[in-house]
Amino acid sequence: MSLPLLFEDELRGFYRSKVMTVLWIGLPALAGFLYYLSPDTAGIPFAAFAGLIVSSIGGVLASVMLTTSILNERSRHVYDLFVVRPVRRMDILLAKFLAVYGCVVLAGALALALGIGIDYGLRGTPPAVGPTLSFLGIMLGMLAVSCSAGVLIGVAAPSVLVGVILVVYGGNQLSAVVILPVLTLSSEPWFPLLPGAGISAALLALAVVLFDRKAL
Amino acid sequence: MPSDPDRFVRIERVTKGYGTLRALDDVSFSIDEGEIFGYIGPNGAGKTTTIKILVGILRSFEGTALVDGHDVRRELPAVQRLLGYLPQEAAFQEWRTVDHALTTFGRLSGLSRADLERRKKEVLGLLGIPEVQHRRIVQLSGGTAQKVGMAQAILHGPRLLVLDEPMAGLDPASRFQFKEVFRALARDGTTIFFSSHILSDVQDVATRVGILNRGRAVHVGTLEELKARLQVGRSVEIVLAHDSGRRPDFAARADVLGVDRFAENHLVVRLRPDADVDAAIDGFVRDLLASGCRIRSISPVSPNLEELYVRFVAGDRP
């Protein structure tokens, strides 16, 4: 089973290339900084604000990171050394997806935790559980769609430049679809996870099919 | 023509096209276990395409490719377990150290943690680069990075080693070292299939060669078979210590094809394929001495792979 090995390898790469540090410290810090700067955030709990910031900015970062990394590695034939071993090609993509998704979700969780702490400090009471879970659900769904879009565009795009343009515009817009059912159908915290998981699974499946057929 | 079913590697009637371009056209050859097979041909002849088919990177082609009886398309995992591969430019992620790269590729190839640590030390020692184990690969010179590529290919002790231009970019000492590694691995039973543009290296180390031109395998066999097939005669190199000015006209002899003159006192006499080399040398010595010349040296010269290759390929360029 190559997936755990590849996943561990990707995490090691993020650790060594300082991606984890940037995400885990940078995203919560950015959320705090923007909350402090924005004049129209009065009344919005910081936890909610942090969840939204991480979902959008973290999603863009994660998808761009995945697209550029896959395109670079494809163009340099890095995968040649993997696919000549008993490794399923889909595991290479899934390991990348899971590693990046895991890292940004953790960054989001840190930002949320920071938000809850700050809200508690400012208001003396913790933020309501329901809305906080809703933001968590939206964040998980949006990040999943952004990451899977990054993987698909990384596999399909002809160049890094085209890939980045597609992922910044297309991937980020697509991830916003996750919010729509919450606005129109139900505010249950788990509800954004359904379209998030569905769209992500479809995008990843398409990426796996393309990756399997490509000459690399 | 179908190849011998007992052979370790069999490429049978393989054809591969890219759009209208036919990269490989009905290519067949086979390789015995423990053999070092040199694969040569001009740029664009289809060498890398053949290699990518053999290692399972390209899976859309006509014909059959088998390793130890396993079809590379239908039984790829079985083939992958036998395989070590060094691409033309082995690329690693920028963050990797040599140790990380070998750990990852060793574990993906099925090595246990205990074996892995031992093998890492062994292969880095064999390639003469134990000191780079904890350095980042991007900081290494091109030649050392190529050795790291070789290290990941042999780390798990593959039965078939497939190498695409493994010695390109190496200095002479490193090329010599790679050839020694090839010989040592072949002695241990590893089959080596390698492509190269450096024909002298192929001649030095390969037990058989395959020549590919415009997607077709134009010759597969030993160098001696190649010479016999081309009916290439040997030459005799003569260096004179003194030229009397009455040198005999060797070109007029029945066993001579022609005479190349490289300097006033330096000749190469090309013999007909059916000529008796020893008898010809006897005749040259006799005639030269009779004409008052003094001989510094006279020796037979065999055509090298480069000359034979040029006969096959150079005249056939578009």
Side-chain angles (χ1 to χ4, degrees), chain A residues 5 9 16 76 83 85 212, chain B residues 80 92 96 104 109 152:
Chain A
L5 278 175
D9 193 56
R16 289 193 63 84
R76 294 172 55 229
V83 299
R85 293 179 156 84
D212 207 41
Chain B
Q80 286 169 329
F92 301 90
R96 282 193 194 279
T104 296
S109 297
Q152 65 75 33

Side-chain angles (χ1 to χ4, degrees), chain B residues 278-295:
Chain B
D278 294 328
I281 290 176
D282 282 350
F284 296 155
V285 171
R286 199 169 42 245
D287 293 350
L288 284 167
L289 293 178
S291 65
C293 296
R294 280 190 285 143
I295 302 168

Side-chain angles (χ1 to χ4, degrees), chain B residues 43-122:
Chain B
N43 291 332
K47 300 188 296 296
T48 297
T49 300
T50 312
I51 284 174
K52 288 195 166 183
I53 284 173
L54 185 60
V55 300
I57 292 176
L58 285 179
R59 289 180 286 183
S60 166
F61 62 92
E62 292 170 39
T64 311
L66 301 155
V67 179
D68 199 23
H70 301 291
D71 189 305
V72 297
R73 271 183 301 211
R74 286 178 305 195
E75 302 165 88
L76 185 58
V79 173
Q80 286 169 329
R81 278 188 277 275
L82 303 171
L83 195 70
Y85 171 55
L86 174 63
Q88 204 161 0
E89 288 172 22
F92 301 90
Q93 284 104 331
E94 288 159 3
W95 58 268
R96 282 193 194 279
T97 63
V98 173
D99 190 66
H100 284 142
L102 296 183
T103 300
T104 296
F105 293 121
R107 289 182 68 194
L108 288 174
S109 297
L111 281 178
S112 67
R113 282 180 189 275
D115 287 342
L116 187 57
E117 292 309 313
R118 178 179 54 80
R119 284 294 294 160
K120 279 193 285 193
K121 289 193 169 20
E122 280 176 7

